[in-house]
């Protein structure tokens, strides 16, 4: 990591307070100016494309990565290519380790998470690839929002990553204070691409076996890991949000 860009936890906490009421564009501009080229945007859903759109309007040399768990919807794979073409950007795709995936499937089958929780599967299909994606980075940008789940209710706009990087990785959450309505308002007003599954009742979209549509009045995250308790609904990317 580039030592000149690293900050102490105290400095990051102060930065979070300073930026808490700022618009996402200002936060992204600061992040890209401070940490490029050792910063990347994590991409999977609607919020992340909003980040890409904002970042691309700030500077052209942005870095974007996504995790291919091997169990995504066909619409999601097409969405990744649509975003790649629309913004004329490279998207680094990180996949699970073959041996680890084969071992899990051989020992426990393809749907063990319905019985013993999603953590083990996410560890193989998300956490391990994410660690590779974050290697060499000083910072990354995510589309997390406070209102997405109970585990994110205290999410700061910038933090020392609580799960990865050994205390030396900065994590920016520029949309932390936005609502789902604001995300979609930006998408419509700026003609931003989105996953066509959203037109079929999906709000929060992950792997096919772990995602379903929600009915009117249900919270967006009720369609993810619906068989688990709400405060535990975090995947590998943001497992540090869960309080021990």
């Amino acid at each position: 990591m580039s030592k000149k860009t690293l900050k102490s936890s105290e400095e990051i906490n102060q930065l979070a307070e300073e930026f808490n009421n700022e618009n996402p564009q200002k936060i992204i501009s600061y992040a890209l100016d401070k940490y490029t080229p050792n910063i990347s945007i994590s991409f999977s859903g609607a919020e992340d494309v909003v980040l890409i759109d904002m970042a691309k309007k700030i500077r052209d040399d942005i870095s974007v990565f996504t995790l291919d768990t091997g169990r995504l919807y066909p619409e999601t794979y097409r969405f990744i290519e649509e975003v790649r073409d629309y913004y004329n950007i490279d998207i680094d795709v990180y996949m699970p380790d073959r041996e680890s995936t084969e071992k899990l499937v051989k020992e426990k089958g393809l749907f063990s998470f319905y019985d013993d929780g999603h953590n083990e599967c996410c560890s193989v299909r998300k956490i391990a690839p994410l660690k590779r994606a974050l290697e060499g980075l000083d910072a990354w940008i995510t589309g997390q929002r406070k209102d997405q789940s109970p585990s994110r209710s205290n999410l700061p706009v910038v933090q020392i990553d609580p799960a990865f990087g050994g205390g030396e990785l900065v994590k920016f959450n520029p949309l932390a204070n936005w609502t789902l309505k604001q995300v979609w308002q930006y998408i419509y007003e700026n003609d931003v691409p989105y996953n066509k599954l959203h037109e079929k009742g999906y709000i929060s979209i992950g792997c096919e076996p772990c995602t379903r549509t929600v009915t009117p009045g249900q919270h967006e995250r009720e369609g993810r890991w619906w068989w688990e308790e709400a405060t535990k609904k975090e995947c590998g990317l943001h497992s540090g949000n869960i309080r021990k």
Side-chain angles (χ1 to χ4, degrees), residues 119 122-132 164 236-237 239:
N119 289 332
C122 279
S123 178
V124 171
R125 295 182 183 272
K126 286 187 175 182
I127 294 179
L130 177 63
K131 288 180 178 178
R132 298 202 315 272
F164 304 100
L237 279 81
S239 57

Side-chain angles (χ1 to χ4, degrees), residues 17 33 51 53 66 108 158 197 200:
E17 291 184 14
D33 180 66
L51 296 176
D53 189 84
T66 192
K108 305 188 71 173
V158 58
L197 286 173
K200 299 178 181 180

Side-chain angles (χ1 to χ4, degrees), residues 1 4 6 37 74 85 116 132 139 168 173 195 198 213 216 228 243:
M1 292 188 176
K4 64 180 181 181
L6 295 178
D85 294 339
D116 56 17
R132 298 202 315 272
E168 296 188 334
N173 310 300
N195 193 322
H198 290 300
T213 59
E228 295 185 10
R243 297 176 182 176

